[in-house]
């Protein structure tokens, strides 16, 4: 009986000795190495359509009535075109009066010059004193000065008369009209605003992470649900980032205005060209709490979920930030893993070739 009992005890110890001592791997997965590759990058942005330059048009002379207004909002005008005609009857009468003053001053000067010539001849013959000659010379100088003053006054009045025709300083589209027929216009008051050369641009808001990738001259497409699509190019990227929104601005000049108007909302897709980026397969990207991430395998073959920021998606590849070149991320089997799981690494998937442009 004792032998049997001992034999039974020995059997139980043997079974305990056969139990595994280490944890089993959760599953076999495939991994790829994070690499840096040139990838075509398109940057999306939204913003507001604005004029490239908006030129205010005002009256240089004031207190006159607008007799006619010759332009409307949305109309394209040329440089020098008369936009408003002001009542010039009083100024025109002053100009005629000053024309007469100039003619009178010119006649007085001619008489003084003739008198000076006779005085010089008589002085040369000894029939006239030096004092009389000096008087004739002074009269001629005074007459010349009076003519110059009359001509200057006439030029001032002629300039005021020309200002009664308010002309477009530049060519372009009228974006605003602030004058009506019959209105008494004051000097310096704004009458119109003109979009210089009818050029519009999109003030595209960009996250600070995308600003460095956008350069002047890059092509872009601008979309509006209301008026369709237009092409354009980045004219300039502003040097400041809004401290509250963390957004910078890229100004995209539209090649043609089409149906776009200042103040409209629009979207832009900027072609930033091939740029180096850290790339992983699209199949490796998981979304947890609506945020993208990947499982990274550490040296102990445990996986850790890493949040990433997706820069662009080409279909089979994703360019992202938040990773380091050389790290290994899980592709096949990633959807069944949890934080800290131990994995066995199987055959890595064949990397997709770079997309041809």
């Amino acid at each position: 009986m004792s032998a049997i009992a001992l034999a039974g005890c020995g059997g139980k110890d043997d079974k305990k000795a056969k139990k595994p001592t280490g944890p089993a791997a959760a599953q076999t997965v495939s991994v790829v190495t994070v690499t840096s590759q040139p990838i075509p990058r398109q940057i999306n942005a939204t913003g507001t359509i604005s004029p490239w330059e908006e030129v205010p048009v005002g009256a240089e002379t004031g207190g006159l009535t607008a007799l006619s207004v010759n332009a409307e909002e949305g109309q394209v005008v040329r440089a020098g075109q008369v936009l408003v005609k002001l009542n010039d009857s009083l100024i025109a009468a002053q100009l005629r009066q000053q024309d007469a003053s100039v003619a009178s001053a010119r006649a007085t000067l001619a008489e003084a010059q003739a008198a000076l010539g006779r005085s010089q001849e008589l002085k040369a013959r000894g029939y006239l004193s030096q004092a009389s000659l000096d008087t004739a010379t002074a009269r001629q100088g005074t007459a010349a000065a009076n003519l110059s003053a009359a001509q200057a006054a006439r030029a001032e009045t002629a300039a005021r008369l020309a200002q009664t025709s308010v002309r477009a300083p530049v060519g372009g589209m009228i974006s605003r009209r602030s004058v009506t027929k019959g209105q008494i216009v004051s000097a310096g008051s704004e009458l119109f605003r003109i979009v210089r050369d009818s050029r519009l641009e999109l003030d595209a808001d960009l996250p600070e992470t995308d600003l460095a990738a956008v350069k002047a001259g890059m092509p872009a497409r601008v979309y509006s649900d209301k008026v369709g699509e237009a092409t354009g190019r980045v004219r300039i990227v502003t040097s400041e980032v809004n401290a509250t929104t963390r957004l910078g601005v890229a100004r995209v000049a539209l090649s043609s205005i089409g149906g776009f108007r200042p103040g409209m909302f629009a979207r832009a897709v900027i072609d930033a060209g091939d740029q180096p980026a850290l790339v992983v397969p699209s199949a490796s990207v998981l979304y947890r709490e609506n945020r993208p991430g990947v499982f990274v395998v550490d040296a102990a073959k445990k996986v850790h979920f890493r949040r990433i920021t997706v820069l662009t998606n080409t279909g089979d590849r994703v360019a992202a930030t938040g990773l380091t070149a050389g790290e290994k991320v899980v592709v096949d089997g990633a959807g069944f893993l949890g934080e800290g799981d131990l994995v066995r690494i199987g055959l890595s998937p064949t990397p997709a070739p770079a997309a041809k442009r």
Side-chain angles (χ1 to χ4, degrees):
M1 293 290 292
S2 299
I4 293 172
L6 290 171
C9 291
K12 289 180 181 179
D13 290 340
D14 290 342
K15 289 179 181 179
K16 288 180 181 180
K18 291 178 181 178
K19 287 184 179 182
T21 57
Q27 70 177 72
T28 300
V29 298
S30 64
V31 299
V32 296
T33 301
V34 179
T35 58
S36 178
Q37 299 178 17
I39 191 167
R41 185 174 177 189
Q42 291 185 329
I43 297 174
N44 296 304
T46 59
T48 303
I49 301 294
S50 65
W52 166 58
E53 270 188 10
E54 200 170 27
V55 181
V57 181
E60 295 179 275
T61 189
L64 303 177
T65 303
L67 296 180
S68 62
V69 178
N70 306 320
E72 295 292 341
E73 293 179 355
Q75 180 180 339
V76 176
V77 298
R78 64 184 185 277
Q81 180 176 334
V82 177
L83 305 180
V84 179
K85 180 60 180 173
L86 302 178
N87 186 355
D88 62 357
S89 58
L90 179 60
I91 300 177
Q94 291 174 346
L95 183 62
R96 291 192 296 271
Q97 181 181 8
Q98 288 170 349
D99 282 339
S101 297
V102 169
S104 176
R106 186 174 288 113
T108 301
L109 176 60
E111 181 182 359
Q113 286 176 333
L116 178 60
R118 290 193 297 271
S119 296
Q120 289 172 336
E121 183 179 352
L122 292 174
K123 177 67 174 60
R125 296 180 180 180
Y127 297 138
L128 192 68
S129 66
Q130 182 63 42
S132 297
L133 179 60
D134 292 342
T135 299
T137 302
R139 286 175 178 170
Q140 188 274 341
T142 300
N146 289 338
L147 176 59
S148 297
Q151 289 174 329
R154 183 198 180 280
E156 179 184 358
T157 303
R160 289 177 54 214
L161 182 63
Q163 291 171 354
T164 60
S165 296
V166 181
R167 300 177 182 272
V170 297
M173 182 182 68
I174 301 289
S175 60
R176 186 182 306 168
R177 193 193 82 172
S178 307
V179 62
T180 57
K181 182 178 179 180
Q183 174 183 337
I184 297 178
V185 177
S186 58
S189 60
E190 182 178 303
L191 308 180
F192 294 92
R193 279 186 174 266
I194 298 178
V195 178
R196 184 190 292 269
D197 299 332
S198 301
R199 287 174 56 182
L200 299 178
E201 59 186 20
L202 173 67
D203 295 338
D205 294 326
L206 294 174
E208 55 186 349
T209 53
D210 290 334
L211 280 177
V214 179
K215 308 293 182 185
M218 287 182 172
R221 298 186 305 279
V222 179
Y223 302 90
S224 169
D225 295 335
K226 303 294 184 182
V227 298
E229 177 182 348
T231 59
R233 286 190 176 274
V234 177
R235 181 175 67 84
I236 192 174
V237 180
T238 58
S239 58
E240 292 185 348
V241 174
N242 187 292
T244 303
T245 63
R246 304 299 179 189
L247 296 175
V249 176
R251 305 194 189 280
V252 180
L254 276 62
S255 58
S256 61
I257 63 174
F260 287 95
R261 291 294 182 267
M264 293 180 66
F265 172 83
R267 303 184 304 275
V269 178
I270 301 172
D271 184 2
D274 287 343
Q275 297 191 3
L278 296 177
V279 176
V280 294
S282 298
S284 68
V285 180
L286 303 173
Y287 283 83
R288 300 279 174 90
E289 298 176 356
N290 293 324
R291 294 178 59 191
V294 295
F295 276 108
V296 179
V297 183
D298 65 13
K301 295 186 179 179
K302 290 185 177 182
V303 296
H304 304 280
F305 191 71
R306 178 88 56 81
R307 299 288 186 187
I308 63 173
T309 300
V310 175
L311 299 177
T312 186
N313 190 331
T314 64
D316 59 342
R317 295 182 301 161
V318 169
T321 60
L323 297 169
T324 303
E327 288 185 313
K328 295 185 181 299
V329 299
V330 178
V331 182
D332 295 330
F336 302 99
L337 297 176
E339 179 65 27
D341 283 353
L342 185 66
V343 296
R344 286 193 302 268
I345 299 176
L347 294 175
S348 297
T350 303
K356 293 182 179 181
R357 299 194 68 195

